Every structure is written in structure tokens, then in C-alpha cells.
Amino acid sequence: MPKTYDFLVAGGSIAGLTFASEAARRGASVLVAEEHDEIGEPEKCDGLVSLRGLTKYGYPPAPDVIQNKITSAVIHSPSDRHFAVNASSLDVVVLDRSAFDKQVAATAVSNGAEVRTGSRVGRLVQRKDRVEAKAGDADVEARYLVDATGPASSPRHGILPAAKYELEGSWVREHVVEVFLDAAKYPGFFAWVIPFGRHRAKVGAAGYGVSPFRALDDFLQGRECSVLRKVSAPIYVGGPSPRFVEPGRILVGESAGQVKPTTAGGIMTSVAAGVIASKWASQSVQKGDPALLDRYQKEWERTFLKEMRTMLRLRGIFEKLSNPDLETVFSAMATPRLIMKLSQTDFDFHASALLGALGMSGLLRVAKVIASAEVRSLLMEP
Ligand SMILES: Cc1cc2nc3c(=O)[nH]c(=O)nc-3n(C[C@H](O)[C@H](O)[C@H](O)COP(=O)(O)OP(=O)(O)OC[C@H]3O[C@@H](n4cnc5c(N)ncnc54)[C@H](O)[C@@H]3O)c2cc1C
């Protein structure tokens, strides 16, 4: 007879590992099964995140996991006009994402979770009171499957092809993140430069229907560099799923769509999901009360749903803008007052912060450029 775990976590990345760590700390029996042979590998994420958010949820990165601190963000328009936002008080850092996942895996193990690598979860059978699955070659039983498999399970809409190079180039500005807008080259997204050391950066591009490596090669024309590593991985911008809990199954992280629809950043929101879900799932198992599981979705949504909806509306507007529209919106937004306000905002709640900084007059200026339903809904926001 196989051992029955409280939770079988499919996916040993940030959402699954935080869930496992917290559930084990609360006394639950947890098995994490990760299909790859090494936690954190292959690394796809750029690791740009706010320390504030991770610290709030009890998972601050160890000092040696932090590769860089960001002091400024420069936004470029299609015609390469630009403005810079001072980010020195926003606590934004670049993580070695693979090392961060290993850090959380070590905490999970020291809290009592089992972590198996090279172990893909497949062939799932749902019984009345448990799930039966294959994890690698082993038969596993658990009360719940925690689906932390990332984009493999996230909703199909809102997935964009993306790629990044890690490179060395003398033009990389050590503490400055750069975002390049161009609706023709990166429809629905942008190109980015995230420095992770002196003259080293993670440089990426994404967009609907683009060939991201071709877009990156075009971007790098005239920027001399040597490429250290190439990664291709989709990003998800479609917003949270309507249901995080299904019979016998709890979804956390990107598989529940818990990713910012503006930037596709999902580290902090996934950590939050792991922590919140494990709290209610552990209580649910200990008290034998399945209804407690619903509190996970309620608590996560109480913190993030309004912001995610605002981000989705901003995305709806952004996706409609042509390059001339982008130039006009850029002019309307690049005012000293707005730039100053943005430098004092919360990185994790940047959509609300942007709206607050724009104010009614700024929104009206944007509305002159695009009279869309999305702008009207933002104007009516309480
Ligand atoms: C190019 C790129 C850059 C990014 N940059 C940033 C950034 O700078 N900042 C930020 O906040 N976010 C960023 N993100 C998003 C961030 O990486 C994700 O939102 C986050 O990693 C989601 O965590 P997760 O644990 O839900 O899923 P994932 O990190 O996707 O992990 C899913 C895990 O499940 C495993 N798995 C899948 N199927 C199975 C199975 N059947 N059995 C066992 N294991 C399985 C996978 O191997 C993987 O380890 C980026 C994403 C991409 C693609």
C-alpha cells in the first residue's frame, strides 16, 4: 500500500515549493514531484521582483541569491523618446531565479516536505476521498493534488511567445531596467533589458504572433554583445482563473493564472498563493472541513483581484494602440509630476499606482487618444 500524503504537489518551482514548505511547517505530509532533474533548472525567469512582496509573505531571498539592485526604470517610445523613473525606493532586485527556487526547496525539506526531482506527475485517478497518481515510476496517493505545473496548466488564452538572451555588452547600464515599446515589433508586449551585473543583462522580447528570437536579434543590431545563454519560454498575461480549487485539486501560481497581466511577473503573486493556499488547505485537512479550502481563493483575491482587473483593462487599451497612438499617450504621460509619483509607488501594485498618478486629468488626456470602452471603465473606477 503506498503512503497517503496530505498533498502531492506537481511542480517544484516557486508556487509549489512555497506551498510545500508552508504546509509541511503546519504539520501536513507533503510530496513535491518535479519533472526536471534539478530544482530551478532549466531557468527561464528573469527574476525581477520586489523585496517588499517576498518579505511580506515570509520568503525573502538570501543575500547571495540577489544578483542586482535596480535604481531606475527607463521607458522608451517607438521613436526612442524616453523617460526615467527613479526606482531606488521601490526595493526592486534581480534574483538568480534558479538559486531562489533551491533556497525555497531547502526550506521546504527542512520543514519536513519530501522533494523528488526527475519525477513527472501523470496518470491521475480521482477517487472520492483521495487522488492516485504516478510520480515518476512510483504510485502515490494523496488527499489533494496541488497543481503547480505553471504554464502547462494555465488558461490557453493570453499566452505569448517570449525569448530572452543572457548577454554581456558594454552598453548595459548596471542598475537600470529598460522597457522598449513598439506595437509593430512587439504587439501586446515589449522588449526589455534587465541588468544582473556589470555589463550583463537578461534581454527579452515577447508579443502576439512574433518570432521572439528574430525580434531579439533585430533589437540587438547595433548593440555589440556576446550571448551567454538563450532561452525560449511562453509568458502568460490572461489574468487569474475563475476557480483555484476543483474537486481533489488545488491550483497555485501560474497554473491558476496568478500572474500580472501587464508585465507577466509572477514570482511574488505565486509565493503569495503558495502561502495562502497552504494555510487554508492544511486547516481544511486537519479539521476535515473541505469548505475551508474556498477561503484560499477569497484571501488571494482580496489582496490581488482588483489590481489584476485593472491590469487587464490597461492591457486591453495597450493592445489596441498603434505606434502613433503610443507616441501620443507617451507625451500625455511623461510629465514630471507623473514620473515623480511613479517613483513613490508599490512595484507590485503598479497598475493602481499608475492610475492614481495619472489622476482624472491624465486619464482624460489618454481618453482623447483612444475613446475605448476600457478607458471609460477606468474613468468610472471608484
Ligand atoms: C522569459 C520569462 C521571464 C520572466 N521574468 C519574470 C520576472 O522577471 N519577474 C517575475 O516576477 N516573473 C517573471 N516571469 C514569470 C515567472 O517565471 C512565473 O510566473 C513563475 O515562475 C510561476 O511560478 P510557478 O511555480 O507557478 O510555475 P513555473 O515556474 O512555471 O514552474 C512549474 C514547474 O512545474 C514543473 N512541471 C510541469 N509539469 C509537471 C508535471 N506533470 N510533473 C512534475 N513537474 C511538472 C515544471 O518543470 C516547473 O518546474 C517570467 C517568465 C518567463 C517565461
Side-chain angles (χ1 to χ4, degrees):
M1 280 281 286
K3 170 179 172 180
T4 302
Y5 293 87
D6 290 324
F7 303 109
L8 166 61
V9 180
S13 180
I14 197 62
L17 292 168
T18 12
F19 180 97
S21 178
E22 289 294 295
R25 191 177 64 76
R26 290 169 182 275
S29 56
V30 190
L31 171 65
V32 179
E34 164 55 44
E35 65 182 348
H36 289 108
D37 291 337
E38 188 178 334
I39 293 293
E41 298 294 340
E43 189 194 68
K44 50 187 181 142
C45 174
D46 291 328
L48 188 73
V49 72
S50 99
L51 277 183
R52 237 176 267 169
L54 295 182
T55 305
K56 177 178 170 193
Y57 287 100
Y59 284 85
D64 61 347
V65 168
I66 298 174
Q67 296 177 311
N68 197 5
K69 293 195 178 188
I70 299 305
T71 57
S72 177
V74 177
I75 320 293
H76 298 259
S77 80
S79 67
D80 211 20
R81 293 183 300 144
H82 57 270
F83 66 86
V85 176
N86 182 341
S88 35
S89 64
L90 302 187
D91 264 351
V92 178
V93 294
V94 183
L95 301 183
D96 174 335
R97 202 20 233 282
S98 174
F100 185 50
D101 286 10
K102 289 185 176 74
Q103 174 195 326
V104 181
T107 310
V109 169
S110 72
N111 284 344
E114 269 179 63
V115 177
R116 285 187 205 159
T117 52
S119 185
R120 181 177 168 77
V121 175
R123 205 173 53 78
L124 203 71
V125 180
Q126 173 77 55
R127 305 272 179 217
K128 194 164 161 270
D129 56 347
R130 65 188 192 283
V131 289
E132 295 170 359
K134 273 272 181 210
D137 293 336
D139 292 314
V140 177
E141 283 190 7
R143 291 182 198 214
Y144 288 99
L145 175 84
V146 178
D147 183 337
T149 55
S153 309
S154 55
R156 299 308 308 158
H157 71 280
I159 293 197
L160 273 72
K164 71 162 185 187
Y165 291 164
E166 289 182 11
L167 55 76
E168 269 176 354
S170 57
W171 47 271
V172 173
R173 298 159 73 187
E174 193 172 351
H175 300 290
V176 181
V177 163
E178 298 191 71
V179 169
F180 296 81
L181 304 172
D182 191 314
K185 292 179 181 165
Y186 326 112
F189 213 72
F190 46 82
W192 63 92
V193 176
I194 299 177
F196 68 101
R198 194 166 147 70
H199 299 327
R200 287 187 160 208
K202 304 169 190 184
V203 178
Y208 289 106
V210 299
S211 159
F213 281 128
R214 198 172 309 144
L216 267 178
D217 288 337
D218 286 351
F219 176 80
L220 289 170
Q221 291 248 328
R223 292 178 170 94
E224 225 170 86
C225 64
S226 48
V227 174
L228 311 170
R229 203 164 80 91
K230 295 185 178 190
V231 179
S232 158
I235 53 172
Y236 175 71
V237 293
S241 311
R243 288 176 61 81
F244 299 168
V245 178
E246 295 166 2
R249 192 185 187 98
I250 302 164
L251 292 99
V252 288
E254 197 148 329
S255 64
Q258 294 158 338
V259 177
K260 297 173 189 169
T262 43
T263 60
I267 301 174
M268 194 282 287
T269 42
S270 296
V271 167
V275 171
I276 297 168
S278 65
K279 178 172 79 181
W280 293 112
S282 306
Q283 286 192 31
S284 164
V285 164
Q286 278 155 14
K287 296 184 178 161
D289 181 0
L292 284 172
L293 264 179
D294 293 336
R295 307 249 184 113
Y296 152 43
Q297 179 147 2
K298 286 200 179 95
E299 185 175 336
W300 190 92
E301 287 186 349
R302 206 164 42 240
T303 309
F304 296 108
L305 192 60
K306 182 168 182 279
E307 177 69 9
M308 292 268 168
R309 284 188 174 148
T310 305
M311 288 178 176
L312 278 171
R313 285 191 202 145
L314 288 176
R315 158 157 294 283
I317 297 168
F318 178 65
E319 287 183 1
K320 291 193 175 80
L321 299 180
S322 63
N323 275 349
D325 294 337
L326 273 173
E327 293 292 348
T328 317
V329 172
F330 201 84
S331 303
M333 289 181 52
T335 63
R337 182 179 160 279
L338 186 110
I339 292 169
M340 195 268 289
K341 285 210 157 197
L342 286 179
S343 70
Q344 300 162 347
T345 54
D346 185 336
F347 178 76
D348 291 317
F349 293 84
H350 56 255
S352 306
L354 178 65
L355 285 190
L358 269 171
M360 189 57 87
S361 61
L363 269 174
L364 284 169
R365 267 181 285 145
V366 175
K368 276 191 195 141
V369 184
I370 26 157
S372 69
E374 285 88 349
V375 180
R376 280 200 298 282
S377 72
L378 286 171
L379 282 165
M380 287 187 294
E381 187 111 311

